[in-house]
Amino acid sequence: MEEIENSFAGNICRCTGYRPIADAFKSFACNANRTLLDKVCDLEDLAAFKPCGVLCAGKCRHKKTGMSKKPLLGKFDYESDDNGFENKNEEDWCILHGSDNKMIVIDIGDHKWYKTYSLDEVFKAMGNNTDYKLIAGNTGQGVYHVTDYPQNVIDVSSVSELRGYFIDVNLVLGAGMPLAEMMDVFKKLSRERKEFSYLKEFYNHMDLVAHVPVRNIGTIGGNLFMKHEHNDFQSDVFLLFETVGATISIGEANKETVIVYLKDFLKINMKGKIILNVKLPPLSLCCLVKTYKIMPRSQNAHAHVNAGFMFRFDRKTNKIAEANIVFGSISPTFIHATKTEALLVGKYLFTNDTLQLALKTLADEIKPEASPAEPSTAYRKMLAISLFYKAILSLCPDDAVDKRMRSGGSVIKRSVSQGTQTYDTDKSVWPLNQPIPKIEALVQCAGEAVFANDLPAQPGEVYGALVLAKAPAGSVIDSFDAAEALKLDGVVAFYTAKDIPGKNSFVPVGALLIQEEEEILCSKIIKYFGQPVAIIVANREKLANKAANMVKVKYATINKNKPLLTIEDVLKSPEKKARVVNNKTVEPTARGNDIKCIVTGEYTIESQYHYFMEPQTCVVKPTEDGMEVHSATQWLDLTNTAISEALNVPANRLVQLTLRKVMLKMEMIFCLSRKYRANEVRRHKQDF
């Protein structure tokens, strides 16, 4: 069950939820004991099955010769066997490449895609180009989204020199090795070779990195290169390798190979170069290694702080001969706690005097940089110091610390999750309050539910992208310059607030809970950084997004006042009256006669990070009388009224269809950019 749940780390469904899906699959599992598992073998291991690699039926003429070494896929020549079936003699074939595995080049005009099979081909594809990108699994797209790819994209996933591993004193891992394969190597060598027993710690740490589908295709070199390009990236791979003093090999077109330590690798100019492999050193039994990763979720999350500790002891004196203390997510430049490392050398590690001195030095040395997306600097500093203390407790000999204190060094690992749901209802009034499955549950579980992004493209369909304000709140828009964007082939229109035929508001005042109008597109004064100020329309989605970034917004004035980032900032600001609305004050209706104590104070509910999962899409189709709107709203009549008022058309000309997506966050304004009237739709149908 634990294996199945671990495989579901990347599966999150807002509609059904993570738990019921995981529980459904775990019901097929069995937590068998070791004795039972030893008796079970895989289907491939059964002696009765000897696959020969040839697809045939009936009497098999290959059964005496054993397994064929030919690939399963190939060109087939047909010949009849004794039973009248056609056996297939295969020859090598592949859709994309020939048997010689030569480099493939696909030229689509402004971009080229290369499929390479050797380092020579990689360097040939690079040539003298500076505008290129090497990709293997390309999982970094989920961390640092690439909106505009370079002109040359070079696929290195099949380069033989970058795959596999070997041991030449050091463990040499090819840079193209997927992380899942690397974990298998860690697990295997930690059992077989004492000098690499520390790899079991690395395996446990890597099990917290991303999730199974990402680890299956994400590579060692790709992860390290992300750290090279973005020093603030909390790379667990980099942290683990740096903890034990690994080195990295970098190749160039002239066959030269440079071997450097990982911290020096971050400073190297990698243009025209490629990561070849990483070398992990063997460690004697005099070395102790411990790593940690503290993150907001049990899986599939970046670290608030990650840490790696390696202590090498002198065999004769039992004092520390070398210490590596590595932290991530402190700052882009902080890697080692060098002062604390130097302090520990020559001292007994497991004494209170050494511990107190090290904690004080570490507290002075760690100075986290503020990052809006990360926890506070104070929290991250406290966490880093705590992880050092936790490591000391976990590595401490049994006779040197009380068992109750030693438990603080254990890693708290979530057990297999479980949960139940109960519904307390009054059965006497059933079916009035009887629990029933939701109507669309079966089609969702069967994968038949239709989502906005599943709708087939219509002839002449166009895509709208928002142009966002790049100025702080209080700034004033002066003008727009969309000339460069409109020159792109495929960009068809540009709209601002003045092009909205009706009311420039996506919330109809007068509806329940709605007290103030909010602009669809900012007309003058910016309310917040990133506010939609215009819409650009193109015949392709990526083109629309690209064009939106090319629109230049000129501001008459830019507000340079200190931004209001917290509730306390707003309450203390002169703008409090304009920003804070007291909807209702509830006065007490009675007072008790037995009051013994009056409690006063304030309770503050802090903000919570919004973990979004899905894109927001609104699709609009012209109809004979108006238009058909496919939106992800949970408030149908509000959306219908908002569109009607914005386009200045009767609400009965709008057909509102709701698809199962998360609540509409007003991205439905894509459909508001056009003055949709039936006659105009017909007239402009060919233009769009």
Side-chain angles (χ1 to χ4, degrees), residues 469-479 522 524-527 553-561:
K470 297 297 190 292
S475 303
V476 179
I477 297 175
D478 181 61
S479 61
C522 179
K524 199 68 177 176
I525 301 176
I526 302 296
K527 301 295 190 301
V553 184
K554 183 179 179 181
Y555 301 96
T557 59
I558 296 180
N559 183 14
K560 296 183 179 180
N561 295 332

Side-chain angles (χ1 to χ4, degrees), residues 131-341:
D131 188 26
Y132 70 85
K133 180 179 178 63
L134 304 179
I135 63 169
N138 204 27
T139 56
Q141 177 77 343
V143 184
Y144 299 100
H145 187 64
V146 179
T147 56
D148 191 12
Y149 273 87
Q151 290 184 342
N152 302 283
V153 179
I154 306 170
D155 181 0
V156 298
S157 60
S158 299
V159 175
S160 57
E161 294 98 322
L162 302 180
R163 304 299 293 262
Y165 77 96
F166 61 90
I167 297 177
D168 61 352
V169 180
N170 297 304
L171 170 61
V172 183
L173 301 171
M177 176 183 287
L179 299 181
E181 189 177 325
M182 178 186 74
M183 291 175 64
D184 292 338
V185 174
F186 287 172
K187 194 172 185 178
K188 176 177 181 291
L189 293 181
S190 66
R191 293 195 304 257
E192 297 176 353
R193 305 180 72 116
K194 291 182 179 180
E195 67 271 29
F196 292 111
S197 59
Y198 69 88
L199 294 179
K200 183 63 169 65
E201 183 75 13
F202 283 13
Y203 175 88
N204 294 335
H205 189 116
M206 287 299 302
D207 196 43
L208 303 174
V209 175
H211 51 76
V212 173
V214 168
R215 295 199 297 263
N216 283 341
I217 59 174
T219 62
I220 299 173
N223 190 287
L224 293 176
F225 191 76
M226 265 202 301
K227 178 68 175 177
H228 178 276
E229 294 296 289
H230 307 274
N231 288 178
D232 57 339
F233 174 51
Q234 307 100 316
S235 169
D236 291 281
V237 176
F238 179 89
L239 178 127
L240 296 179
F241 292 172
E242 181 63 18
T243 298
V244 295
T247 58
I248 185 170
S249 301
I250 301 170
E252 296 186 60
N254 56 9
K255 303 295 184 179
E256 288 188 8
T257 300
V258 179
I259 300 176
V260 297
Y261 287 104
L262 268 76
K263 61 182 179 181
D264 299 322
F265 157 69
L266 299 181
K267 305 172 186 177
I268 292 179
N269 183 353
M270 289 296 292
K271 284 298 180 184
K273 303 172 185 176
I274 187 173
I275 303 172
L276 300 177
N277 55 57
V278 176
K279 297 182 179 181
L280 300 181
L283 298 182
S284 70
L285 297 180
C286 295
C287 293
L288 298 179
V289 177
K290 193 68 180 176
T291 68
Y292 295 97
K293 180 179 182 180
I294 308 300
M295 48 189 179
R297 295 181 301 280
S298 181
Q299 293 176 306
N300 194 23
H302 294 308
H304 288 327
V305 172
N306 49 4
F309 307 94
M310 192 278 289
F311 303 105
R312 183 168 63 85
F313 296 87
D314 185 279
R315 292 178 181 273
K316 297 179 179 179
T317 63
N318 212 26
K319 294 180 179 180
I320 294 180
E322 180 186 2
N324 280 346
I325 302 174
V326 184
F327 287 105
S329 196
I330 300 300
S331 75
T333 57
F334 187 93
I335 300 175
H336 282 265
T338 53
K339 293 180 181 179
T340 309
E341 290 173 348

Side-chain angles (χ1 to χ4, degrees), residues 532-550:
V533 296
I535 293 176
I536 200 156
V537 183
N539 58 14
R540 299 193 310 277
E541 183 180 4
K542 288 188 176 181
L543 178 61
N545 293 330
K546 178 181 179 180
N549 290 326
M550 296 175 64

Side-chain angles (χ1 to χ4, degrees), residues 142 281 297 307 335 360 396 418 428 519 540 564 577 593 680:
R297 295 181 301 280
I335 300 175
K360 184 180 183 304
C396 195
Q418 57 181 345
S428 65
E519 290 185 327
R540 299 193 310 277
L564 306 177
K577 291 183 178 180
N593 298 321
E680 291 178 342

Side-chain angles (χ1 to χ4, degrees), residues 79 205 328 372 401 426 430 474 536 562 600 606 639:
E79 59 182 38
H205 189 116
V401 66
D426 185 357
W430 278 15
I536 200 156
K562 182 181 178 181
T600 61
E606 298 291 345
T639 305

